[in-house]
Amino acid sequence: MDSKMNSAEFSSNTTSGDISVVCPMKPQHISISVLICLTFLVGLLLNVFSLWVFTCKTPEWTSNTVFQVHLAVSDVIICPMGPFMAVYYHTANWPFGKALCQLKIALMTFHIYSSILFLTLISIHRYVVVVCYNQDSYMNRKNFVQKLCFGVWLLVLVKGTVLAMILDTSTVNNHTLCLSIHQDQYTNSYFIANFSVLIPGLLLAFTVSVICYSLLVRSMSRLDTSHDSGQAIKKKSCKMVTVCLAIFVVCFTPMNVVCSVGLVVKKFFPSNCSLLLKLETAYYVSWILAGANCCLDPIIYCFSCQKFTKTFRISLRRIGLRLKIAQDESS
């Protein structure tokens, strides 16, 4: 009886004297899948609308607009993967094949790290424009900014492509897995990539953003607020600081922290299945928070572009008017 219970909890394979413990697959609660779908759906709608405003309603782009357009693109590319991720998390099985698994890995990498880099560049740009007030700065030149954005995409493209080529689907306990903590053959690859590239990148980007926004807030405290224009600039800048730092802290930090802890436990304490399963659930929940950055980024556009805010309000009024007309006609 004891041996049957142990085999139900986990299976052990011995190769060259090493014991590899495979914890049982645990489908996640349906609420996680529903929230992931809703988060990415709202994010898709908001960012498609944002791109429409930038491309159709903003005839003249500034260097800041260029950063925001690329940030919106980085949000859009991950949203279609929401339903696939929802199915996978709920069933603990990836039925979509190797190609879609590699596409998922690539798009997740593109989204997370391009978003982090573009938010960091927006922080630097805001610092240069408001604090340094240097119109001749390279950060105010659209050609330079476009080349900078191209460099970001090239960097994340290489990173995402390499990860997608290294990692693959695998079958564990009759479950097909894709980018899972239960894939023992990739534990070392996950561990090295996480602590040598991903975490340092996040910490560096967050540190740069905090420094830029700290200097920005200090500069705003000296601003003359006796006039309405000074009060408006200070209020808008402080709100933008709050949103950007909130995205870093709430959206990106939990996922990276949980992922790092999970990899440490998997590498050094692989037999602790109970803790690993809890960390796996926490990681999936953290993806809801990570996806929420797609919904929060458009708030930044509102604070930094009056044209965007005006178009957004007009569009909402038109939608409300159309809904009202439809209701009157149906009644």
Side-chain angles (χ1 to χ4, degrees):
M1 178 67 69
D2 291 338
S3 62
K4 291 182 179 179
M5 291 178 62
N6 291 334
S7 64
E9 292 178 357
F10 61 87
S11 61
S12 300
N13 300 319
T14 306
T15 304
S16 302
D18 295 331
I19 298 179
S20 177
V21 179
V22 180
C23 296
M25 307 298 105
K26 180 183 177 183
Q28 302 301 314
H29 195 273
I30 187 64
S31 59
I32 294 178
S33 297
V34 171
L35 287 174
I36 285 177
C37 284
L38 289 175
T39 300
F40 282 117
L41 175 61
V42 173
L44 179 64
L45 295 175
L46 288 174
N47 284 282
V48 168
F49 172 78
S50 300
L51 289 173
W52 172 76
V53 173
F54 290 136
T55 55
C56 300
K57 299 294 182 179
T58 311
E60 185 176 352
W61 287 8
T62 63
S63 55
N64 189 45
T65 308
V66 175
F67 283 131
Q68 293 172 355
V69 169
H70 284 275
L71 180 59
V73 171
S74 73
D75 289 335
V76 167
I77 60 176
I78 189 60
C79 292
M81 293 304 299
F84 297 96
M85 295 166 65
V87 171
Y88 179 46
Y89 296 164
H90 182 57
T91 62
N93 188 65
W94 181 264
F96 306 111
K98 174 181 176 179
L100 271 178
C101 174
Q102 292 177 318
L103 179 62
K104 167 197 167 185
I105 294 170
L107 291 181
M108 288 169 66
T109 306
F110 297 163
H111 166 65
I112 290 296
Y113 298 102
S114 64
S115 295
I116 289 173
L117 289 173
F118 285 130
L119 283 170
T120 304
L121 290 174
I122 289 174
S123 305
I124 297 173
H125 179 270
R126 193 70 178 175
Y127 166 77
V128 171
V129 171
V130 177
V131 179
C132 298
Y133 198 70
N134 185 359
Q135 295 296 333
D136 295 328
S137 170
Y138 282 106
M139 294 298 286
N140 279 325
R141 300 178 185 178
K142 285 192 291 183
N143 290 335
F144 173 78
V145 168
Q146 289 170 346
K147 293 177 182 178
L148 200 59
C149 292
F150 175 78
V152 170
W153 283 116
L154 183 61
L155 177 64
V156 297
L157 179 64
V158 172
K159 184 184 296 185
T161 302
V162 170
L163 288 176
M165 291 176 63
I166 294 175
L167 307 177
D168 197 357
T169 57
S170 58
T171 302
V172 180
N173 289 351
N174 296 321
H175 290 257
T176 301
L177 304 180
C178 172
L179 200 63
S180 170
I181 200 172
H182 299 290
Q183 294 174 287
D184 289 345
Q185 70 270 39
Y186 296 131
T187 298
N188 289 331
S189 298
Y190 291 150
F191 191 88
I192 293 172
N194 187 73
F195 288 99
S196 64
V197 179
L198 308 185
I199 290 299
L202 175 67
L203 291 177
L204 178 61
F206 181 68
T207 302
V208 171
S209 296
V210 168
I211 292 173
C212 289
Y213 284 129
S214 297
L215 295 173
L216 178 62
V217 170
R218 189 171 68 177
S219 176
M220 290 298 99
S221 65
R222 304 195 193 105
L223 190 67
D224 182 11
T225 58
S226 59
H227 302 288
D228 292 340
S229 59
Q231 291 179 353
I233 293 174
K234 183 175 182 178
K235 186 176 180 180
K236 184 181 295 185
S237 297
C238 289
K239 287 181 178 180
M240 188 173 177
V241 169
T242 302
V243 174
C244 286
L245 294 183
I247 291 174
F248 270 108
V249 174
V250 177
C251 299
F252 296 133
T253 302
M255 182 192 66
N256 283 276
V257 170
V258 172
C259 181
S260 300
V261 173
L263 287 171
V264 169
V265 173
K266 178 64 178 178
K267 185 173 178 63
F268 299 105
F269 309 98
S271 61
N272 195 337
C273 289
S274 176
L275 179 57
L276 278 172
L277 292 176
K278 291 177 181 177
L279 288 170
E280 183 182 26
T281 299
Y283 176 73
Y284 294 152
V285 171
S286 71
W287 255 105
I288 300 174
L289 298 176
N293 86 93
C294 299
C295 305
L296 294 175
D297 286 341
I299 299 177
I300 297 175
Y301 314 151
C302 290
F303 291 150
S304 59
C305 180
Q306 292 181 349
K307 179 69 176 179
F308 184 92
T309 306
K310 182 179 179 180
T311 305
F312 184 76
R313 289 175 177 173
I314 292 174
S315 299
L316 287 180
R317 290 171 184 170
R318 288 178 178 176
I319 293 173
L321 180 61
R322 289 173 184 173
L323 290 175
K324 184 179 180 180
I325 292 174
Q327 290 176 353
D328 292 340
E329 290 177 351
S330 62
S331 60

